C-alpha cells in the first residue's frame, strides 16, 4: 500500500524544507518537496532527497556495539546501557559529573534533540560545549550590535532596491533564497555578490566584486570612510538611535583608503560602487558564514552591521543585515525541556578547543565522552589533536546512524533513528519563521532506538527516571504551551503540518533594540561586560601576509573550506561514492605557478597537517586561494580539518577555520 505523508527536513540548514514522503509497505520510497509549504513550495535540494537513501542504507547501524580488544562486538541494549550507566555512576561518585564530556554539534534541528541537555543537567551537570564552529562569531556579534541576530522575512526582499550577497553562496546553501533572488531581479532589484570565489550565485548577479579572504571587515571600513567623506551617512538614525559613533569614527581614521585598497586587494571604483548601493536603498544584505570564521570574525560582522546602520538600512522594509534568525528559536520554552536548574556542577569547553579541554582538564579529568548529533573527529578543527584527545579518554560513547570516523574510535556505539522513524517538531533558525511537524512514518531497522529512548533508559538506571517519565507529546507541549495564546497548538500543528511563528518580519522597525542601551551599539556594553573590547575594531586575520609575513612566506596560500553541495557537513559522504575522494580546488594563478592541470594529484600542507587530493582549477577566484569542501571522512582521504586551526574567534564564540595558510606541491 502506498501513502504520501507531509513531513520535514531535519538537517541543520537555512531552509528547513517541507517534505512529501512516500511510504510503501512500511518503507520510505521517495522524498519530495511539499508543494503546499508557504516558503519552500515543493522544491528541495539533493541533501534532503538523500534522506531516503540514508534511512534505507545497508550501512545503517542496527545493534549496539562494544569494542573488545580493538574489535567491535554486537551486544544487547541491556548490556550496553547497564555498562554505560555503571561507568557514569562510578565517575560521578569518584570524580564528579563534570568528568563526563557531552560533545555535540547541530546535525538535527528537531526540538526534542534538546532533551540531551535535560539528561546531562539531571545527571548533575556534565562538561558541555559552548560556541559554534559554524556561525558562533556572527551570532554573538549581532547580539552585541542589535541585541539579537534577527533577519527579515523572506518576502521582504521584494522591497529592496539593491541586494548585497556578502560572502554567501546561496545557490549552494540556501536554495529558496536563490529563487527569491531570481524573482527580485525580474522585478528590478539589483544583485551584487562580494566573495573571493566566483560562485553560482555570482553568475546571476549584476555585479561581482572579488576581495582577499579575511578582509571583508576592512572593505566595510573603506566603504564607510568613503560614504562619510561624501556626507551621505544617515545622521538622524545615528544621532537618535545609536551609541558609540565617535568610536567608529576613531577606528575609520586609523586607516587610509590607500591602505585599505592595497590590503583588501580591491579597487577604489569597487569601494565607491558599494557605498552608492547602500546610500541609494533600501538595500538588504545577506551575510555568509565563512567570513566570520577568522580570528577577526566577530568584528567583521560588526563592521558590516555598522555599514548597514550608518547608511540608514536598519529597521526599514527592504533593508537589514541578515545573518542568523534566532528569534525563531526563542519561541520555544527551552528551559522547560532542558531543566538547567538541575545542574549542581558544571564546566564548559569551547567547541573549537574541546581537544585542549580534554587533554589539559584537571579536577576533574575527562574520563568519558558521549557524542551526539556530530562527528567531531572530522568536523572539529585540527583533526590530529582532536583524535589524540579522544584516544586519551577511558570511555567514548557515540550515538549515530553510521560507523563514522568518531564512532570507529568509540568504545560503545548506539544506533539511533532517522527523521522518518520518530516524531518531532522542526524549525529553521536562519531563514524563515515556519515550524514544521514530522510524525513517525516507519519503524527503524533492527534494534535502532531514538535518542529520547536512550536518554530515558539511562536516566532510569542513574536514578532520575522521573524527569523522563513523559510522552513525546508531553515534551512537545512543555516547549509550546505558552504559544496557545497566539493560536498555535500542538493539535493545530499536527493537523496543518506547518505554521508560522510570531516573529518580527522587519526587525528593529520600532528602532527599539534589545541591547543594554536600547540602541544600536557601535560600542557594545555587552562586549565590555564580558571582559572583551566593546569598541569597534579591525583585527587582521591571524594567518596573513600582514600579521605574520614569515608564516605567509612559508605558506603563501589561503585555504577555505566551504559547505559541500551534496552533503550536510559530513553526513552523506558514506552514501555517495562520487564524493569519496578529496578534491582540492585552486585559483588559476596557483595552477599556472605550480604547472597544475585538472586531475593532478597534489598535497596541501602546513604545520598542523597535510592532505592529498585531486586538483580542480577554479575558473574565477581571488588570487592565492585554495578550497577543500568540509565534511570529508578520514577513511576517504582525510578531512580539511587536518590543516585548520582550533583557535577561537575575537568574541570567543566562533571558529577560525578560514584563518588558515597552506602551501601546495605535486604529490610524491
Amino acid at each position: 500500500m502506498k501513502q504520501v505523508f507531509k513531513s520535514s527536513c531535519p538537517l541543520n540548514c537555512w531552509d528547513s524544507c517541507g517534505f512529501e514522503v512516500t511510504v510503501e509497505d512500511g518503507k520510505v520510497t521517495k522524498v519530495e518537496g511539499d508543494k503546499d509549504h508557504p516558503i519552500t513550495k515543493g522544491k528541495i535540494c539533493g541533501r534532503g532527497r538523500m534522506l531516503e537513501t540514508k534511512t534505507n542504507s545497508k550501512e545503517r547501524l542496527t545493534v549496539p556495539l562494544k569494542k573488545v580488544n580493538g574489535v567491535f562486538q554486537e551486544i544487547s541494549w541491556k548490556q550496553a546501557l547497564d555498562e554505560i550507566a555503571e561507568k557514569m555512576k562510578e565517575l560521578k561518585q569518584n570524580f564528579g559529573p563534570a568528568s563526563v564530556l557531552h560533545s555535540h554539534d547541530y546535525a538535527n534541528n528537531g526540538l526534542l534533540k534538546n532533551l540531551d541537555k535535560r539528561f546531562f543537567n539531571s545527571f548533575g551537570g556534565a562538561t558541555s560545549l559552548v560556541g559554534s564552529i559554524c556561525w558562533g562569531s556572527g551570532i554573538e556579534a549581532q547580539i552585541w550590535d542589535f541585541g539579537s541576530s534577527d533577519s527579515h522575512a523572506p518576502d521582504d526582499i521584494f522591497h529592496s532596491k539593491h541586494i548585497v550577497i556578502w560572502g554567501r553562496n546561496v545557490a549552494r546553501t540556501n536554495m529558496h533564497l536563490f529563487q527569491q533572488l531570481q524573482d527580485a531581479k525580474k522585478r528590478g532589484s539589483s544583485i551584487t555578490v562580494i566573495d573571493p570565489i566566483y560562485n553560482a550565485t555570482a553568475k546571476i548577479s549584476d555585479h561581482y566584486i572579488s576581495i582577499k579572504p579575511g578582509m571583508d571587515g576592512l572593505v566595510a571600513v573603506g566603504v564607510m570612510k568613503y560614504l562619510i567623506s561624501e556626507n551621505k551617512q544617515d545622521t538622524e538614525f545615528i544621532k537618535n538611535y545609536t551609541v558609540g559613533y565617535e568610536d567608529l569614527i576613531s577606528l575609520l581614521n586609523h586607516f587610509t583608503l590607500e591602505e585599505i585598497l592595497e590590503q583588501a586587494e580591491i579597487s577604489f571604483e569597487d569601494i565607491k560602487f558599494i557605498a552608492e548601493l547602500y546610500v541609494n536603498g533600501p538595500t538588504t544584505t545577506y551575510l555568509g558564514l565563512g567570513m566570520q570564521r577568522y580570528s577577526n570574525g566577530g568584528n567583521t560582522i560588526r563592521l558590516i552591521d555598522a555599514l548597514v546602520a550608518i547608511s540608514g538600512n536598519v529597521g526599514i522594509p527592504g533593508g537589514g543585515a541578515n545573518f542568523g534568525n534566532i528569534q525563531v528559536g526563542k519561541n520555544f520554552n527551552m528551559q522547560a525541556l532542558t531543566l538547567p536548574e538541575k545542574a549542581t556542577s558544571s564546566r564548559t569547553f569551547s567547541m573549537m578547543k574541546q581537544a585542549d579541554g580534554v587533554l589539559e582538564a584537571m579536577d576533574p579529568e575527562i574520563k568519558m565522552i558521549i557524542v551526539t548529533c556530530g562527528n567531531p573527529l572530522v568536523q572539529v578543527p585540527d583533526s590530529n589533536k582532536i583524535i589524540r584527545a579522544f584516544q586519551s579518554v577511558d570511555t567514548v560513547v557515540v550515538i549515530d546512524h553510521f560507523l563514522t570516523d568518531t564512532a570507529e574510535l568509540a568504545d560503545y556505539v548506539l544506533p539511533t533513528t532517522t527523521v522518518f522513524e520518530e516524531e518531532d517538531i522542526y524549525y529553521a533558525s536562519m531563514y524563515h519563521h515556519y515550524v514544521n511537524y514530522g510524525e513517525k512514518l516507519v519503524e527503524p531497522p533492527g534494534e535502532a532506538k531514538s535518542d529520547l529512548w536512550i536518554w530515558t533508559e539511562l536516566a532510569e538506571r542513574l536514578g532520575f527516571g522521573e524527569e523522563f517519565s513523559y510522552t513525546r507529546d508531553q515534551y512537545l507541549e512543555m516547549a509550546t504551551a505558552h504559544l496557545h495564546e497566539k493560536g498555535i497548538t500542538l493539535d493545530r500543528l499536527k493537523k496543518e503540518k506547518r505554521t508560522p511563528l510570531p516573529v518580527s518580519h522587519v526587525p528593529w522597525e520600532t528602532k527599539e533594540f534589545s541591547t543594554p542601551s536600547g540602541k544600536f551599539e557601535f560600542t557594545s556594553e555587552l562586549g565590555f561586560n564580558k571582559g572583551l573590547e566593546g569598541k569597534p575594531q579591525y583585527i587582521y586575520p591571524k594567518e596573513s601576509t600582514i600579521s605574520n609575513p614569515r608564516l605567509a612566506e612559508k605558506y603563501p596560500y589561503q585555504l577555505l573550506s566551504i559547505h559541500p553541495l551534496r552533503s550536510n557537513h559530513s553526513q552523506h559522504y558514506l552514501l555517495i561514492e562520487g564524493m569519496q575522494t578529496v578534491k582540492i580546488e585552486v585559483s588559476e594563478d596557483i595552477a599556472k605557478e605550480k604547472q597544475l592541470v585538472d586531475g593532478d594529484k597534489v598535497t596541501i600542507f602546513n604545520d598542523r597537517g597535510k592532505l592529498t587530493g585531486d586538483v580542480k582549477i577554479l575558473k574565477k577566484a581571488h588570487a592565492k586561494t585554495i578550497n577543500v569542501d568540509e565534511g570529508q571522512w578520514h577513511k576517504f582521504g582525510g578531512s580539511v580539518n587536518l590543516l585548520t586551526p582550533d583557535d577561537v574567534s575575537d568574541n570567543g564564540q566562533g571558529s577560525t577555520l578560514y584563518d588558515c595558510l597552506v602551501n601546495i606541491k605535486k604529490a610524491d
Side-chain angles (χ1 to χ4, degrees), residues 392-436:
S392 74
V393 174
D394 295 341
T395 306
V396 176
V397 179
V398 171
I399 301 173
D400 211 316
H401 306 113
F402 299 108
L403 203 60
T404 63
D405 287 283
T406 307
E408 284 193 340
L409 183 143
D411 300 285
Y412 294 89
V413 183
L414 307 181
T416 190
T417 47
T418 68
V419 56
F420 306 128
E421 298 159 357
E422 61 186 25
E423 177 191 26
D424 211 338
I425 287 174
Y426 302 91
Y427 59 96
S429 56
M430 296 181 271
Y431 178 54
H432 66 78
H433 60 291
Y434 275 77
V435 59
N436 302 333

Side-chain angles (χ1 to χ4, degrees), residues 180-447:
Q180 295 282 73
L181 288 178
Q182 293 172 307
D183 293 344
K185 186 175 181 179
K186 290 176 184 177
R187 299 186 187 197
S189 301
S190 80
I191 301 173
T192 298
V193 170
I194 305 172
D195 202 287
I197 296 176
Y198 185 78
N199 52 44
T201 309
K203 289 179 181 178
I204 70 162
S205 68
D206 300 286
H207 304 279
Y208 167 68
I209 297 172
S210 175
I211 62 176
K212 185 175 182 178
M215 298 295 177
D216 304 86
L218 191 61
V219 170
V221 168
V223 174
M224 287 188 282
K225 281 182 70 71
Y226 175 81
L227 189 152
I228 292 169
S229 72
E230 296 292 311
N231 198 30
K232 293 182 177 179
Q233 68 273 34
D234 187 335
T235 53
E236 180 182 355
F237 179 81
I238 294 167
K239 179 181 178 181
N240 295 322
Y241 304 112
T242 75
V243 295
Y245 182 63
E246 63 281 0
D247 291 329
L248 177 66
I249 295 299
S250 178
L251 170 65
L252 302 186
N253 289 338
H254 275 293
F255 296 91
T256 67
L257 204 52
E258 291 71 25
E259 288 174 328
I260 294 168
L261 301 179
E262 178 183 359
Q263 293 171 4
E265 298 176 1
I266 190 172
S267 70
F268 173 74
E269 289 72 23
D270 285 337
I271 291 286
K272 180 179 177 181
F273 176 79
I274 296 170
E276 293 297 331
L277 289 178
Y278 278 97
V279 298
N280 291 302
T283 299
T284 188
T285 307
Y286 291 92
L287 301 167
L289 305 188
M291 61 186 174
Q292 47 95 59
R293 295 174 182 153
Y294 293 86
S295 56
N296 64 4
N299 276 286
T300 291
I301 301 302
R302 294 201 70 208
L303 289 167
I304 299 174
D305 287 349
L307 169 58
V308 173
I310 71 167
S311 61
N313 286 292
V314 169
I316 63 169
N322 302 286
F323 182 76
N325 202 20
I326 61 175
Q327 59 176 328
V328 176
K330 291 177 182 177
N331 278 283
F332 302 107
N333 186 350
M334 291 301 184
Q335 287 195 331
L337 280 185
T338 62
L339 302 179
E341 70 278 3
K342 292 286 184 179
T344 58
S345 172
S346 64
R347 177 173 61 182
T348 60
F349 296 159
S350 158
M351 184 176 289
M352 289 62 68
K353 302 289 286 185
Q354 61 184 286
D356 284 341
V358 170
L359 292 168
E360 299 170 5
M362 301 294 291
D363 193 28
E365 297 178 20
I366 296 298
K367 298 291 186 179
M368 174 185 276
I369 301 175
I370 300 179
V371 180
T372 64
C373 286
N375 185 9
L377 264 65
V378 166
Q379 291 300 103
V380 174
D382 199 347
S383 292
N384 287 314
K385 187 191 292 185
I386 197 75
I387 291 169
R388 291 198 307 273
F390 272 59
Q391 288 174 333
S392 74
V393 174
D394 295 341
T395 306
V396 176
V397 179
V398 171
I399 301 173
D400 211 316
H401 306 113
F402 299 108
L403 203 60
T404 63
D405 287 283
T406 307
E408 284 193 340
L409 183 143
D411 300 285
Y412 294 89
V413 183
L414 307 181
T416 190
T417 47
T418 68
V419 56
F420 306 128
E421 298 159 357
E422 61 186 25
E423 177 191 26
D424 211 338
I425 287 174
Y426 302 91
Y427 59 96
S429 56
M430 296 181 271
Y431 178 54
H432 66 78
H433 60 291
Y434 275 77
V435 59
N436 302 333
Y437 172 75
E439 63 184 293
K440 180 178 178 179
L441 303 180
V442 295
E443 292 297 324
E447 299 176 32

Side-chain angles (χ1 to χ4, degrees), residues 591-625:
K592 183 176 181 180
E593 178 186 347
K594 299 292 185 178
Q595 297 183 323
L596 302 174
V597 298
D598 282 347
D600 278 353
K601 189 76 68 176
V602 296
T603 298
I604 54 176
F605 58 97
N606 58 22
D607 292 340
R608 288 177 288 271
K610 62 182 180 179
L611 184 65
T612 297
D614 300 328
V615 163
K616 180 175 175 55
I617 299 173
L618 293 165
K619 297 305 181 185
K620 195 172 182 181
H622 206 83
K624 297 187 175 182
T625 299

